[in-house]
Amino acid sequence: LNMVKKNTSPFNSQIKFFKDYFFVIDSENILRCVSIKTGEQLWNVQTESSIIRSKKRLSLVLNNGLVIFNNSLGDITAVNIANGELVWQISTQGVDIYSNVHSLEMSDLIIKNDTLYVANNRNDFYSLDPKSGILGIFVLFDKSSEYPEFLV
């Protein structure tokens, strides 16, 4: 065991490694960049949080110098991998998110062919440009309809 460090809030995400760092999100929606060698936090990014904690582990991906991650409110955020500087952020939920946050579950973030994909348990499916956060396709799967509704 090389190091033991304590955090005030439990980790609630996947862990991703890059060079001599690892990245993790805690249950207060704080992304942390930590040195593997020393265990010291190099930088952190606080996103909006809610009183109710997510049951599902949060997701993050590393892509072209960015750390892209989601939080328990359904926001997707991209920051510079070197310093944590905000590059873009998008909310996948409307203004009523606070009344429904306890039941929101997001899929893992997936990057394939230079596109970021994410879905949730509200029948929403998104494709985003990972460099800019620009929405490519939004699909709402309506259970009462035979065909999904596409917004491009």
Side-chain angles (χ1 to χ4, degrees):
L1 185 64
N2 290 339
M3 69 179 106
V4 175
K5 299 285 181 177
K6 293 201 181 237
N7 193 41
T8 57
S9 184
F11 296 134
N12 188 33
S13 74
Q14 305 163 334
I15 298 173
K16 298 292 179 175
F17 295 90
F18 177 75
K19 295 186 179 179
D20 293 333
Y21 318 114
F22 72 87
F23 302 89
V24 66
I25 308 164
D26 68 21
S27 62
E28 294 178 357
N29 289 334
I30 301 173
L31 171 68
R32 300 180 186 278
C33 173
V34 178
S35 166
I36 292 172
K37 291 179 180 179
T38 67
E40 296 302 316
Q41 178 178 281
L42 303 173
W43 52 260
N44 72 61
V45 175
Q46 170 77 59
T47 63
E48 197 166 351
S49 188
S50 68
I51 295 171
I52 300 171
R53 303 291 183 224
S54 175
K55 295 175 190 171
K56 184 184 182 305
R57 290 213 176 272
L58 301 175
S59 180
L60 56 124
V61 292
L62 308 179
N63 182 261
N64 292 326
L66 298 177
V67 181
I68 305 170
F69 64 101
N70 67 328
N71 67 16
S72 60
L73 297 177
D75 299 332
I76 302 172
T77 304
V79 298
N80 183 301
I81 201 166
N83 57 21
E85 206 170 277
L86 180 67
V87 176
W88 57 263
Q89 185 174 53
I90 185 171
S91 176
T92 63
Q93 302 302 300
V95 293
D96 66 340
I97 180 61
Y98 293 103
S99 62
N100 298 314
V101 71
H102 63 281
S103 63
L104 177 67
E105 290 187 24
M106 302 288 289
S107 71
D108 288 343
L109 300 174
I110 297 172
I111 293 185
K112 176 88 172 154
N113 298 331
D114 232 14
T115 301
L116 174 70
Y117 297 98
V118 65
N120 64 33
N121 63 335
R122 305 235 167 95
N123 299 322
D124 301 332
F125 175 84
Y126 301 86
S127 75
L128 302 160
D129 179 331
K131 294 177 198 120
S132 66
I134 293 174
L135 186 63
I137 296 175
F138 169 71
V139 181
L140 173 62
F141 291 95
D142 184 354
K143 292 178 183 174
S144 65
S145 173
E146 186 176 342
Y147 301 102
E149 194 177 314
F150 288 86
L151 300 174
V152 180

